[in-house]
Amino acid sequence: VEQNTAAYAAGLREGDVIEEVNRQPLTDAEQAVALSEKLKDEKSILLRIWSKGGSHYLVVDESKVG
């Protein structure tokens, strides 16, 4: 996760597992990539992340990254 991105600003880090995108469960990385392509014009995206032994939500807000 590059430091100058909205995902990094939201708290996404290397090793985190994305479980859902906008409340749509993911089964594999290819599905995550395909869904992110569909949502590329969205200003904010809700992610459910598995990190450090637990799940939590992050909002990736593109409008907050300059």
Side-chain angles (χ1 to χ4, degrees):
V1 180
E2 294 183 27
Q3 290 187 13
N4 61 343
T5 63
Y8 188 88
L12 190 66
R13 298 296 183 264
E14 183 177 341
D16 291 351
V17 177
I18 301 172
E19 298 179 310
E20 293 178 2
V21 175
N22 284 353
R23 301 207 184 268
Q24 296 182 34
L26 302 175
T27 57
D28 57 39
E30 290 80 21
Q31 187 181 20
V33 171
L35 189 53
S36 68
E37 284 296 315
K38 286 183 183 178
L39 299 172
K40 67 182 175 183
D41 293 329
E42 297 290 322
K43 292 297 180 198
S44 64
I45 298 173
L46 178 67
L47 301 178
R48 185 169 140 214
I49 304 298
W50 175 265
S51 177
K52 300 178 185 171
S55 291
H56 62 278
Y57 286 94
L58 301 175
V59 176
V60 177
D61 187 348
E62 292 291 336
S63 68
K64 292 187 178 182
V65 175

